[in-house]
Amino acid sequence: MTIQTPLTFFRQHIAELRHALRVVTAVIAAFVVVRLLGMPQGWWAVITAVLVVQTSVGGSLKAALDRLLGTIAGALCGAAVAVAIPHVTDLGLGIAIAAAILPLAYLAAINPMFRVAPVTALIVMLPIYGPGGNPLISAADRVIEIVIGNIVALAVTFVILPTRAHSQLREAAAKVASLNADLMDRLMDGLTNDLGRQGVPPLHAKIRAALKQAETAADEAARERKMKVSDDRDPEPVVRTLYRVRHDLVMVSRAAAKPLPEALVTDLGPLLAILRQDAVAVLRGISASLLARMPAPALDNYQAGTKALSQAIDGMAEDRKRVPHEEVARLFTLRFALDQLGEDMRDLSSRTSELAKAHSAASASPSSG
């Protein structure tokens, strides 16, 4: 059992610790603000601060906007129904609640941005059941509290160790590339033997999860660009290329569903071994380049290997007596998949180098210092 030192733990979980610090700071700041303002139910501002602070600036901006729009919609609807429908009895309150929640629940189903609206409507309406409640004042209080929570949360997000979504995108993309390298290693091994084939399904699951993380980070990075809080490059092409590489490897996995016949392994084994080494090196190099913001490696060796493999497969396809028809078809599938993988890895390498150039240009500009 490996024992982690506090310093090792800190280095491995620095992103999570930074996020925890921002949340705690936002909670304390929101609590202090509502106390200074003397708000009787200011705890809604504190709750909002917890919900709005996300792991990136882009995520916090989205959470704040969703929270604000959902609160306004819920407060207006709840106040309007409370004024329009008498609810001095349990039956009347039940009818009023149903009338307010039905359209808001439908709205939340159409657009998740409004998922907090039904909750806000309930908060606005339920205190009205007591004597002396005013639905308009209650609605205004909820909106003010949410606005305060949003302002505090966003201020903390921008000031306390801010994390850009673009950095999270690079980390997620690097993880995808590294996992793809592991998968390529297993798949090419599966063409010559069955060793390690049981490890392929878990790798596919990990890649899907990492791609989802990259997609989420890309959405948040795009929001930062749209709101002018970041001038990083458009993140969408990186995610799109990662998905294409993923699809190429799925094609390779179909061709590598079982080992090749022994005669083909004898002829193609050395070429496949070289291609395996070169592809894994490229993918791992891209992963390292994403993390270091450095130019990505070239694909010259890999493309030379695919060309040699294609020539060997063409020669085998002409010998119909020696190579069964179904194996010829599988070899052509493998050739196409590996060729396409080379094109998409080249594209991913270019995207990685573009990110490195953009970072170098930003670091060299006078305003960056």
Side-chain angles (χ1 to χ4, degrees):
M1 179 178 179
T2 303
I3 300 178
Q4 288 186 330
T5 64
L7 182 59
T8 302
F9 178 85
F10 179 81
R11 288 175 176 173
Q12 292 180 349
H13 300 277
I14 186 170
E16 293 83 356
L17 292 171
R18 290 170 64 169
H19 174 65
L21 177 61
R22 287 193 294 269
V23 172
V24 170
T25 304
V27 167
I28 295 175
F31 178 77
V32 170
V33 169
V34 296
R35 284 300 185 188
L36 291 175
L37 294 177
M39 303 185 70
Q41 294 185 358
W43 42 273
W44 282 108
V46 178
I47 293 175
T48 297
V50 174
L51 297 176
V52 168
V53 177
Q54 303 294 309
T55 56
S56 72
V57 172
S60 297
L61 288 170
K62 181 181 186 303
L65 182 61
D66 289 357
R67 182 80 173 167
L68 180 60
L69 293 180
T71 298
I72 292 174
L76 291 176
C77 184
V81 171
V83 171
I85 299 179
H87 48 277
V88 294
T89 65
D90 288 340
L91 178 60
L93 179 61
I95 294 174
I97 289 175
I101 298 302
L102 180 62
L104 293 175
Y106 176 76
L107 182 62
I110 295 176
N111 190 340
M113 178 181 293
F114 295 98
R115 61 183 177 271
V116 74
V119 178
T120 303
L122 279 176
I123 295 170
V124 169
M125 295 182 65
L126 290 180
I128 311 308
Y129 191 54
N134 187 313
L136 297 179
I137 294 178
S138 180
D141 286 343
R142 297 298 83 75
V143 173
I144 292 173
E145 290 158 4
I146 290 339
V147 168
I148 291 174
N150 278 343
I151 293 174
V152 171
L154 290 178
V156 169
T157 299
F158 279 97
V159 174
I160 305 298
L161 302 175
T163 300
R164 301 293 189 215
H166 207 270
S167 297
Q168 296 181 338
L169 170 61
R170 288 189 297 100
E171 293 173 0
K175 183 177 181 180
V176 173
S178 179
L179 289 171
N180 282 337
D182 294 339
L183 179 61
M184 185 65 178
D185 201 25
R186 298 280 182 119
L187 293 178
M188 297 299 283
D189 196 35
L191 285 169
T192 57
N193 58 70
D194 281 322
L195 298 177
R197 193 178 297 276
Q198 65 275 12
V200 170
L203 275 175
H204 278 299
K206 290 180 180 179
I207 291 172
R208 287 194 298 269
L211 280 169
K212 183 60 65 176
Q213 292 176 350
E215 194 171 3
T216 299
D219 289 341
E220 295 176 357
R223 187 171 299 106
E224 292 178 3
R225 280 170 48 87
K226 184 177 181 180
M227 294 187 175
K228 309 300 182 182
V229 298
S230 172
D231 57 356
D232 288 312
R233 286 184 175 268
D234 182 8
E236 195 275 336
V238 175
V239 178
R240 183 177 65 241
T241 308
L242 286 172
Y243 270 103
R244 291 210 307 266
V245 171
R246 154 78 175 161
H247 295 156
D248 298 336
L249 289 176
V250 169
M251 293 177 61
V252 173
S253 68
R254 292 171 181 169
K258 62 179 180 179
L260 293 169
E262 185 175 350
L264 296 183
V265 171
T266 301
D267 292 339
L268 298 179
L271 291 175
L272 292 174
I274 294 174
L275 269 176
R276 168 186 179 178
Q277 177 181 343
D278 292 339
V280 170
V282 169
L283 289 169
R284 295 203 189 285
I286 290 174
S287 177
S289 297
L290 283 166
L291 292 176
R293 293 186 174 183
M294 298 292 291
L299 279 76
D300 296 343
N301 291 339
Y302 177 83
Q303 291 180 326
T306 56
K307 183 177 180 180
L309 180 66
S310 295
Q311 293 174 347
I313 291 175
D314 288 339
M316 290 181 175
E318 297 176 357
D319 190 357
R320 297 303 179 103
K321 293 182 179 180
R322 181 169 174 266
V323 183
H325 175 73
E326 62 274 10
E327 294 300 336
V328 172
R330 186 151 71 108
L331 288 176
F332 279 132
T333 300
L334 177 63
R335 183 180 72 177
F336 175 79
L338 292 176
D339 286 343
Q340 192 61 45
L341 176 62
E343 293 299 321
D344 291 331
M345 286 196 303
R346 177 188 289 276
D347 192 8
L348 183 58
S349 180
S350 298
R351 302 297 182 189
T352 301
S353 297
E354 287 174 1
L355 294 179
K357 291 179 182 178
H359 173 67
S360 299
S363 300
S365 64
S367 60
S368 65

